[in-house]
Amino acid sequence: MSFRASILTLYPEMFPGNLGMSLSGKALERGDWSLEAKSIRDYATDKHRSVDDTPSGGGAGMVLRADILAKAIDYVTEEDDPRPRLLMSPRGKPFTQNRARQLAEGPGAIIICGRFEGVDERVIEARQLEEVSIGDYILSGGEMAATIVLDAVVRLLPGVMGNQESGETESFENGLLEHPHYTRPAIFEDRGIPEVLTSGNHRLINEWRLEQSKKLTEQRRPDLWAAHLARNAK
């Protein structure tokens, strides 16, 4: 069974967007995964197709209504649907490579793209939505976040990447940032390629790459480096 993604959004025309190109686009054409984008407005009950209302207790902005969003979720959710329901939200748990791999090993996902000030808390509770964040910043809506999540997941599906080893050595797969890369020309603006990479000695090359990964992680991501040290101290 291929990976099935259902997107609930106010702007279904934004999909597949970038997901229809490159590796994910080719995989979509092959049927390695499928994508449906549904408009939340299709489940509105008034002639204006309203999906939001003013926040209870006052305040700026508008809030997506629980009843309308619940109808949309129920429509795309099949009986005994095992797919997780992800709500793109800046207050969610940070999205990680490990979570991407977990999703890639599953049947798919239902992804809700928020807009306005947020989503009525009651539908988050009633439909057991998993809030997911792609970073500590605010976007206009969840569509771009959903695209990022799906791109990270789809590339991990079997057969999508031509060289599986490429995915296994990338940043975050082993808790470290990826080592530097080099290719031709041999000299670029007086800068050469490290000699070890042209030595043909694969043991030394692997050792060099690991040391570079450790150095970069310690310099740029002290949080990851601390976690790496803690894991290896056990």
Side-chain angles (χ1 to χ4, degrees):
M1 181 175 64
S2 64
F3 182 94
R4 295 189 302 117
S6 297
I7 308 291
L8 292 174
T9 170
L10 295 179
Y11 301 98
E13 61 272 16
M14 293 180 69
F15 296 93
N18 292 348
L19 296 170
M21 304 176 186
S22 189
L23 290 177
S24 58
K26 292 177 181 177
L28 190 60
E29 291 178 358
R30 289 195 304 267
D32 294 341
W33 71 293
S34 63
L35 172 65
E36 64 169 343
K38 300 289 293 182
S39 175
I40 299 171
R41 292 193 187 279
D42 290 345
Y43 309 94
T45 56
D46 66 337
K47 64 179 181 180
H48 301 294
R49 303 178 77 203
S50 303
V51 297
D52 58 333
D53 210 329
T54 55
S56 298
M62 303 291 279
V63 177
L64 275 173
R65 287 174 44 167
D67 55 344
I68 295 172
L69 186 53
K71 287 181 181 179
I73 294 170
D74 293 345
Y75 182 87
V76 299
T77 303
E78 300 175 355
E79 186 176 358
D80 299 322
D81 199 324
R83 295 179 297 167
R85 300 162 179 168
L86 313 180
L87 172 63
M88 298 296 99
S89 167
R91 73 177 196 179
K93 187 175 180 180
F95 186 66
T96 64
Q97 186 68 13
N98 183 56
R99 186 65 180 119
R101 191 165 289 282
Q102 290 174 352
L103 291 170
E105 294 172 352
I110 297 170
I111 303 181
I112 297 97
C113 302
R115 282 272 164 176
F116 313 120
E117 287 301 308
V119 173
D120 191 307
E121 190 71 20
R122 293 170 295 178
V123 73
I124 297 175
E125 297 170 354
R127 294 301 182 269
Q128 298 179 316
L129 305 185
E130 174 189 342
E131 294 186 70
V132 177
S133 169
I134 62 166
D136 295 340
Y137 46 85
I138 307 299
L139 300 174
S140 299
E143 288 78 14
M144 293 180 69
T147 296
I148 288 171
V149 166
L150 284 176
D151 184 84
V153 172
V154 169
R155 64 194 302 277
L156 297 176
L157 297 177
V160 173
M161 280 191 291
N163 184 350
Q164 194 62 33
E165 182 182 354
S166 176
E168 295 170 355
T169 59
E170 291 174 327
S171 293
F172 310 115
E173 285 292 351
N174 61 357
L176 299 172
L177 298 182
E178 193 172 9
H179 57 77
H181 293 279
Y182 298 86
T183 187
R184 292 177 290 183
I187 301 296
F188 168 69
E189 296 182 352
D190 298 327
R191 294 173 172 82
I193 296 173
E195 291 184 8
V196 64
L197 297 180
T198 59
S199 67
N201 189 319
H202 293 291
R203 179 183 63 81
L204 291 179
I205 290 172
N206 289 335
E207 290 176 356
W208 180 88
R209 286 175 171 170
L210 179 58
E211 286 306 311
Q212 291 296 312
S213 288
K214 290 180 177 179
K215 184 182 299 184
L216 283 172
T217 305
E218 184 177 14
Q219 292 173 347
R220 300 180 182 180
R221 291 293 301 273
D223 56 327
L224 294 179
W225 181 244
H228 172 76
L229 294 178
R231 283 194 301 272
N232 285 276
K234 295 179 180 179

